[in-house]
Amino acid sequence: MEKANLNWSELTFAYMKTDCHLEYYFKDGEWDEGKIINDDRIDLNIASTCLHYGQECFEGAKAFEDKDGRVRVFRIEENAKRMVRSAEKIHMVPFPEDMFINAVEKLVQLNQRFIPPYGSGASLYLRPLLLGISGLIGVTPATDYAFMMFCSPVGPYFKSGIKPVKLIVEDQYDRAAPNGVGDVKVGGNYAAGLRASVRAKKAGYTEVLYLDALRKEFIDESGPANFFGITHDNKFITPASDSILPSITNMSLQTLAADMGMIVEKRPIHVNELPYLKEAGCCGTAAVITPIGSITHGDKVITYCETDEVGETCMSLYNNLTSIQNGVLKDKYGWTREIPMP
Ligand SMILES: *Cc1c(COP(=O)(O)O)cnc(C)c1O
C-alpha cells in the first residue's frame, strides 16, 4: 500500500486524522463486534457518565515499521491488562483483553499508510478509550459502554528527539491522592495536573515533578511520565508509590537495566536523594526516555546535564529500547508482536 504523503521526519507529537477509527459498544451485557468509522467524530448521549462523572480511561501504545517493512506493536498485552485494571477501579465494564489485541491489529492494518517508515524516528501512536455512555443524572456507574481506538502518526515527543528537559518540583498542587486513582490511567488525573503543568511551562520548565501528596517528601512521577534515576554506583532506581501509574516503559527499562548488569531498586525515593543521582529521566510510551537536565526544588537547582549532552546510561537504555521496538535488535523478551499486513 502506498504511504500517505507526509513529511515523516518532520512529524511532532500532534493529532492527525487518519483513515478510520474503531468503535465497540457494550449493551445488554455484551460487547458487539465493532465497527469501522471513517470519520473522527463520535456520537454520544449528552448525559453520558464519561462526560459528567469522569467514567473514562485510556491507553497509549505504538506501532513501528522495521527496515524490511514489517510492522510491530510494543507490549500491547500489558496495555490490555492495564485498561482492565483502570476500568475496574472506576467501576466500568472492562473491554476484554483478547478483543483489545484484535482491535489493535485491525486498526493498524486499516491505517497502514499512516505507519511512519523505518528511519524517520516517528511511529504510529494508538489511543484506546473506554467510556461510560449511559445517559444518567444520578451518580451511578453506567450500564452501557463504548470502547474506541484511533491512531495518529507521531514524531518524537520533543522536537529535537532525545534532549534533556527542565523539571520543577511541584509545591502547590497534587495530582493524585494516596488511595485515590493515581495508579490507573484515567482522564481525571490529567485534568487534575493541567494547572500545575501550565504554570510550570509558563515559568520556563518542561513539566513538573510531583511529590507524594500526603507527606510531600517522596518522588511520585512527572505529569504523564514515570521517574527514574541512575546512582553513582550504577543502580537504576524508580519510585514505589501507590499513587503513580505503573508505566510499561518503566517496567521494560527495569528489565533492560538488570540485563545491562545494573541493580534495580523500586522503592520510595526521598526528594533529598535527588542531588546524589548521576542521571535522571522520565519515561513513557510517548516520550520513551526523556533525560532530565535539571530539577528545580524550592530555591535549589539540581543539574544532571550541563549541556544538551545526554547521560551515558540514559542513552544506552534509550538505544536498547528503541532498537527492540524498531526491529534492529532481536527481541529476546517477546515484547513485540508482528502485525500481518494485508
Ligand atoms: C501513561 C502514563 C505513563 C507512562 O506509561 P507507559 O505505559 O510507559 O506509556 C506514566 N504516567 C502516567 C500518569 C501515565 O498516564
Side-chain angles (χ1 to χ4, degrees):
M1 188 188 272
E2 211 174 308
K3 293 257 180 220
N5 184 21
L6 295 172
N7 201 347
W8 301 104
S9 52
E10 297 289 305
L11 287 178
T12 58
F13 197 82
Y15 171 71
M16 182 187 295
K17 186 174 187 291
T18 58
D19 285 335
C20 62
H21 72 266
L22 303 178
E23 295 185 7
Y24 297 73
Y25 288 89
F26 182 87
K27 225 179 153 170
D28 303 325
E30 266 186 331
W31 283 102
D32 69 13
E33 58 204 35
K35 275 202 212 61
I36 301 166
I37 310 288
N38 298 308
D39 187 16
D40 60 355
R41 304 275 126 188
I42 60 171
D43 190 12
L44 277 186
N45 185 312
I46 194 169
S48 294
T49 56
C50 64
L51 299 177
H52 302 262
Y53 300 134
Q55 262 205 313
E56 185 273 350
C57 64
F58 68 100
E59 275 299 329
K62 277 179 176 172
F64 305 86
E65 193 177 271
D66 73 9
K67 62 180 189 328
D68 304 316
R70 281 192 294 246
V71 176
R72 292 184 187 83
V73 284
F74 186 72
R75 303 195 82 171
I76 56 161
E77 301 77 10
E78 295 296 332
N79 294 100
K81 266 198 264 178
R82 188 169 65 190
M83 196 175 218
V84 170
R85 279 204 309 273
S86 297
E88 287 173 344
K89 191 143 189 183
I90 55 170
H91 239 290
M92 300 200 290
V93 170
F95 191 63
E97 288 171 40
D98 56 333
M99 287 181 75
F100 182 105
I101 288 160
N102 287 337
V104 166
E105 291 209 347
K106 191 165 161 184
L107 185 72
V108 172
Q109 286 165 342
L110 288 165
N111 288 290
Q112 185 180 1
R113 65 191 197 94
F114 288 98
I115 307 170
Y118 173 81
S120 61
S123 55
L124 187 70
Y125 187 75
L126 312 171
R127 170 53 57 84
L129 313 168
L130 183 64
L131 311 171
I133 57 163
S134 302
L136 295 172
I137 291 184
V139 184
T140 46
T143 49
D144 296 353
Y145 290 86
F147 171 84
M148 303 185 182
M149 185 163 24
F150 69 88
C151 60
S152 183
V154 295
Y157 201 68
F158 298 105
K159 260 211 180 94
S160 38
I162 181 164
K163 183 181 159 185
V165 296
K166 278 168 71 178
L167 300 188
I168 179 165
V169 173
E170 176 55 43
D171 58 4
Q172 189 172 359
Y173 304 124
D174 296 326
R175 185 191 81 96
N179 300 317
V181 292
D183 62 337
V184 289
K185 212 168 175 76
V186 300
N189 289 337
Y190 279 75
L194 283 176
R195 231 172 10 161
S197 179
V198 169
R199 189 173 72 139
K201 280 173 192 157
K202 271 198 191 135
Y205 301 96
T206 315
E207 253 303 343
V208 299
L209 184 60
Y210 288 103
L211 300 183
D212 74 285
L214 187 63
R215 297 175 59 184
K216 306 271 191 206
E217 281 183 36
F218 296 94
I219 310 289
D220 256 359
E221 62 178 326
S222 166
N226 275 188
F227 174 87
F228 67 88
I230 309 296
T231 62
H232 284 281
D233 57 357
N234 211 32
K235 286 179 185 157
F236 179 102
I237 64 169
T238 192
S241 160
D242 290 338
S243 50
I244 64 181
L245 189 85
S247 149
I248 298 163
T249 312
N250 191 351
M251 209 161 74
S252 310
L253 294 179
Q254 290 169 43
T255 303
L256 293 174
D259 279 4
M260 283 159 63
M262 302 171 72
I263 290 173
V264 173
E265 284 180 1
K266 193 173 170 193
R267 58 167 174 82
I269 299 175
H270 198 280
V271 65
N272 292 342
E273 285 186 58
L274 290 178
Y276 304 104
L277 297 174
K278 186 169 66 159
E279 294 177 38
C282 292
C283 62
T285 297
V288 193
I289 287 182
T290 304
I292 300 172
S294 69
I295 301 176
T296 299
H297 178 213
D299 51 14
K300 293 187 298 271
V301 181
I302 304 148
T303 303
Y304 301 110
C305 310
E306 292 290 351
T307 59
D308 274 354
E309 194 134 328
V310 176
E312 187 186 11
T313 309
C314 279
M315 204 63 227
S316 316
L317 286 167
Y318 178 90
N319 288 336
N320 277 345
L321 183 66
T322 52
S323 304
I324 291 173
Q325 291 175 329
N326 61 30
V328 167
L329 258 186
K330 195 168 146 2
D331 173 18
K332 63 174 177 175
Y333 307 101
W335 286 342
T336 55
R337 169 188 290 263
E338 187 176 338
I339 301 207
M341 282 300 150

